Amino acid sequence: MAELLIELFSEEIPSRFQSEAAKNLERLFASELSRSNLAYDSTAFFYTPRRLTLVVSKVERLTSREVKEVRGPNVLAPEEAINGFKKTLGVTDSDLYRKVEKKGEFFFSRVERPTRPASDVISEILETTLPNFSWPKSMRWGSTSFKWVRPLHSILCILTDEDFFEIVPVEVNGIRSGDISYGHRFLSPEPFSVLNFEDYTKKLRKKYVILDAKTRKDKILNDAQNLVFARNMELIADDDLLDEIVGLVEWPVVLLGEVNKKFLSLPPEILKVVMKEHQRFFSVRNKATGFIESYLTVANIDPADNGQSIIQGNTRVLNARLSDAQFFWYNDITRIKVDGLSFFQKKLEAVTFHNQIGSQAERVSRIQYISLEIADSIGAPKTEVRVAASICKLDLVSEMVYEFPELQGVMGSYFAREAGLSEDIARASASHYSPLGPSDNVPTQPVEVCIALADKIDMLSNFFAINLKPTGSKDPFALRRAALGIVRISIENKLNISIKRLLSLGNKNADPLDLFNFLVDRARAYFIEKHFRLDILKACLSYEYSDLSFADIYTRILAISEFIKTDDSTDLIRAYKRAVNILNAEEKRDTTKYFQEPSEELFKEPDENSIYAKLLKTDKDIDKALEIGQLGVALEKLNSLRPAVDTFFENVQINSEDELTRRNRLCLLNKIKLLMHKVALFSEIEIES
């Protein structure tokens, strides 16, 4: 067995592509190795800005011998089909034999795949895979059709063992493989030969390249924490920025710079956005003052002057950017002081949200209507909700947001404060876009909740009304995020607003069932992340329960998840399914539905009277329990039905010879089903048979 090392060395790969590309290379290569019957133990991938690396351990020197039985055409098939089968496999009549199967008699042949050297297989995989490797964006250079994310310079591909070394011959786009790699672009660019993976990593380290992305990440974070701690400062965490920078450097060196004091009066969000989006700097807060007074930058070289020249250059560029931001900020604030927020409201009328949906001003009007309706349901102060809705999009026409779109909402909150509005209204401007992702916090204050929900309901219903729904992985208007936001805001704030009610507040031209199913898909994904069973989710996330809120449905999922852990639950669900199966079979046979209320006058057995009385009492008890949200009590009441149901099945013949009696008993079964369905669709829940 040998170790396989592959390195694809190129110009700098965009940071956002590196990790996924390395994973895809590992996945594709491992899949092809298995398909080729070349055994191996494990794979590992690595990446830096200039290289994708794959190491495969304990690779066999030869592929496994394989004998496979291949089925051909039916023995009665035309001669042309049989000859085609023989030609495809490269066999003759003497290699064919017959076998009888369920669908007839067929020709078969055994095909043997001989062993092959590992290097031949690896070479073939790379020469096939690399020209077809998928990148989000790729480029061609020279006169060939070969595409790669950036110009590919070299391929390292070696098979090694203690007493064995082989360069696997690979040629792609005129580039031939070898045992050569390269160090850091500036600090040690010379080529060097490689013996194995251990030798490769050690030599890279000596040549100022840290191969492992996690090691680079840990170094950046540790060095940054040490720098700021020594100065009684605090690093403002930003995992996305950290991940991006890891993909920009092979030899990270963390440097600390200061923000010019004249910019410290700017809102901290402006400082953070300018430093992150334009300079890729981390923001550093002074613990004593609470202000962002410094920044961290990560260089990709080891500077001789401890980074002073780099800091000076970066500070000059940062000052220019912050000067622009300060100019826009003061312009917007001055405008508010002179003309108030009405200046922005007028400008909003000229901004098109979508050519089929209308202007931003029209959208604000719709958000105001929806949010006031929600305010009625959750007891939010309508005066503040009305004002908050009217100004929630005003910052979109400000100079600040025009230049820095990432600040939308945030700037609105500052503008609201400058206009003398309440803190609740100001926070609603900032938070109504939230949550922006699965881990983002949801709005919790009543005014914020109203505006955030209204914004998302308006988005969803209007785009669905014009049939611009997400397709596949494409979601240009972030409707999935909006739907998940509705689900999370409803659940995490325990809102008592039915799903049907929420959907009715949006565009009436949107199909409510279509919208419901879309929301339910997002809710299902949300609950799966919380590790709930899929069958329980199916039982609760049905249009039958669209009169419930998502918070109510969450409560049901929790209660049923606990209930099914008990032995009683299995017996109850089994009895329920027996009733439903009989009912469904008879309804299908009779092409009718037995939804009528059972007639006591048609009861002939004591157990019919007994179960009917039990059903009536349990029905009232369950309604009372559900009304006050006591799902555990409702499930206990359902479970109390089981003895009566079991006795009913033991002592009463459903399919009586008397047709009226039979129909009445089927109506009793339907009443059992409907009673159970008040809690969930128990037919979806899987139990051991």
Side-chain angles (χ1 to χ4, degrees), residues 493-504:
N493 286 287
K494 299 180 180 178
L495 299 183
N496 187 28
I497 312 176
S498 75
I499 303 169
K500 189 178 289 185
R501 169 67 175 153
L502 284 176
L503 296 180
S504 72

Side-chain angles (χ1 to χ4, degrees), residues 234-239 241 244 259 263-285 290-296 318 321-322 325 400 404 406-407 410-411 414:
E234 178 185 21
L235 175 68
I236 298 177
D238 192 326
D239 292 337
L241 179 58
E244 181 180 3
V259 177
F263 300 119
L264 298 184
S265 61
L266 287 171
E269 293 88 352
I270 294 179
L271 292 172
K272 284 192 287 187
V273 164
V274 172
M275 288 195 283
K276 175 181 178 177
E277 299 300 329
H278 291 275
Q279 304 300 121
R280 303 298 184 265
F281 294 166
F282 291 98
S283 298
V284 178
R285 184 187 293 116
F291 293 131
I292 294 174
E293 297 180 3
S294 301
Y295 67 87
L296 285 173
L318 179 61
R321 294 289 187 186
L322 288 175
M400 197 73 229
F404 301 101
E406 304 85 0
L407 291 172
V410 173
M411 287 298 97
Y414 281 100

Side-chain angles (χ1 to χ4, degrees), residues 246-400:
V246 165
L248 297 176
V249 294
E250 291 190 320
W251 190 256
V253 176
V254 181
L255 304 170
L256 181 68
E258 291 186 1
V259 177
N260 193 304
K261 287 183 173 56
K262 69 179 182 180
F263 300 119
L264 298 184
S265 61
L266 287 171
E269 293 88 352
I270 294 179
L271 292 172
K272 284 192 287 187
V273 164
V274 172
M275 288 195 283
K276 175 181 178 177
E277 299 300 329
H278 291 275
Q279 304 300 121
R280 303 298 184 265
F281 294 166
F282 291 98
S283 298
V284 178
R285 184 187 293 116
N286 187 322
K287 287 184 178 180
T289 65
F291 293 131
I292 294 174
E293 297 180 3
S294 301
Y295 67 87
L296 285 173
T297 183
V298 183
N300 191 32
I301 60 172
D302 204 355
D305 60 352
N306 293 322
Q308 290 307 304
S309 58
I310 294 176
I311 290 295
Q312 288 172 8
N314 282 340
T315 301
R316 280 196 301 272
V317 176
L318 179 61
N319 286 343
R321 294 289 187 186
L322 288 175
S323 292
D324 291 342
Q326 190 177 57
F327 174 79
F328 299 132
W329 166 250
Y330 285 137
N331 271 7
D332 288 332
I333 295 304
T334 302
R335 180 65 72 177
I336 291 170
K337 289 177 180 177
V338 173
D339 298 324
L341 294 175
S342 60
F343 170 77
F344 295 107
Q345 286 172 322
K346 290 176 183 176
K347 288 183 70 176
L348 210 58
E349 295 173 3
V351 179
T352 301
F353 172 65
H354 188 280
N355 60 2
Q356 292 179 262
I357 297 176
S359 69
Q360 285 286 6
E362 290 171 319
R363 183 154 189 256
V364 165
S365 179
R366 295 193 300 268
I367 290 173
Q368 191 174 58
Y369 163 75
I370 296 170
S371 60
L372 287 170
E373 292 292 316
I374 295 171
D376 273 337
S377 300
I378 68 172
K382 296 184 74 171
T383 301
E384 291 201 325
V385 168
R386 181 181 288 105
V387 176
S390 70
I391 69 164
C392 68
K393 301 293 182 183
L394 296 191
D395 63 356
L396 295 178
V397 291
S398 67
E399 291 186 32
M400 197 73 229

Side-chain angles (χ1 to χ4, degrees), residues 615-629:
L615 286 170
L616 291 176
K617 183 179 185 309
T618 305
D619 197 1
K620 292 178 181 178
D621 291 342
I622 286 176
D623 284 344
K624 184 177 178 181
L626 293 178
E627 187 177 346
I628 57 178

Side-chain angles (χ1 to χ4, degrees), residues 496 548 552 555-556 559 616-640 675 678-679:
N496 187 28
L548 299 176
D552 290 333
T555 303
R556 293 188 182 214
L616 291 176
K617 183 179 185 309
T618 305
D619 197 1
K620 292 178 181 178
D621 291 342
I622 286 176
D623 284 344
K624 184 177 178 181
L626 293 178
E627 187 177 346
I628 57 178
Q630 293 184 340
L631 267 296
V633 172
L635 287 166
E636 287 176 12
K637 296 298 181 183
L638 280 181
N639 197 42
S640 69
L675 188 56
K678 284 191 172 185
V679 177

Side-chain angles (χ1 to χ4, degrees), residues 194-225:
V194 174
L195 296 175
N196 52 38
F197 180 64
E198 183 181 4
D199 181 56
Y200 171 71
T201 53
K202 285 181 178 178
K203 287 179 177 176
L204 279 177
R205 189 80 183 220
K206 288 179 181 178
K207 293 182 177 294
Y208 302 96
V209 176
I210 299 175
L211 180 64
D212 181 43
K214 185 179 184 305
T215 305
R216 295 198 303 277
K217 184 175 183 177
D218 291 343
K219 184 179 188 305
I220 292 170
L221 199 55
N222 291 336
D223 290 354
Q225 296 286 12

